[in-house]
Amino acid sequence: MSTVELKSNLHQLIEGIQNTKLLESLHDLLSERKNAKAGSLWNSLTESQKKEVMDAYEESERPENLTLHSEILRKYK
């Protein structure tokens, strides 16, 4: 999806939201992410948290650990 399409889709989603708290949360999230420096999230993690992320990534590289998207959708419908 192009940047223009993404922006258009975001505008449409936001226009449909009437919940002020949700809009404030979105605003805060986007403001923080816009100003965040690359790598700041990773650098904010503890060594233990970084290890958990890396372990999860390594596990995701093994096909037997993966679940089909359709199975997840079926489970949560």
Side-chain angles (χ1 to χ4, degrees):
M1 197 177 298
S2 72
T3 301
V4 171
E5 289 172 315
L6 285 169
K7 286 181 178 183
S8 176
N9 289 345
L10 280 170
H11 284 286
Q12 289 173 5
L13 282 172
I14 291 169
E15 284 298 320
I17 297 172
Q18 302 303 317
N19 183 320
T20 303
K21 293 256 187 223
L22 177 56
L23 289 169
E24 288 173 353
S25 294
L26 285 170
H27 178 269
D28 294 344
L29 173 71
L30 291 173
S31 294
E32 287 176 22
R33 295 297 301 151
K34 179 182 175 195
N35 299 323
K37 293 181 181 174
S40 62
L41 175 60
W42 181 258
N43 292 332
S44 72
L45 298 177
T46 65
E47 289 305 313
S48 174
Q49 290 169 323
K50 288 178 183 178
K51 182 179 180 334
E52 285 184 50
V53 170
M54 294 310 296
D55 288 347
Y57 175 76
E58 288 175 18
E59 288 177 13
S60 76
E61 292 293 303
R62 294 192 295 267
E64 66 271 14
N65 291 333
L66 301 180
T67 304
L68 292 175
H69 183 254
S70 58
E71 288 180 34
I72 299 294
L73 289 178
R74 188 172 41 252
K75 182 177 178 180
Y76 291 100
K77 276 193 173 184

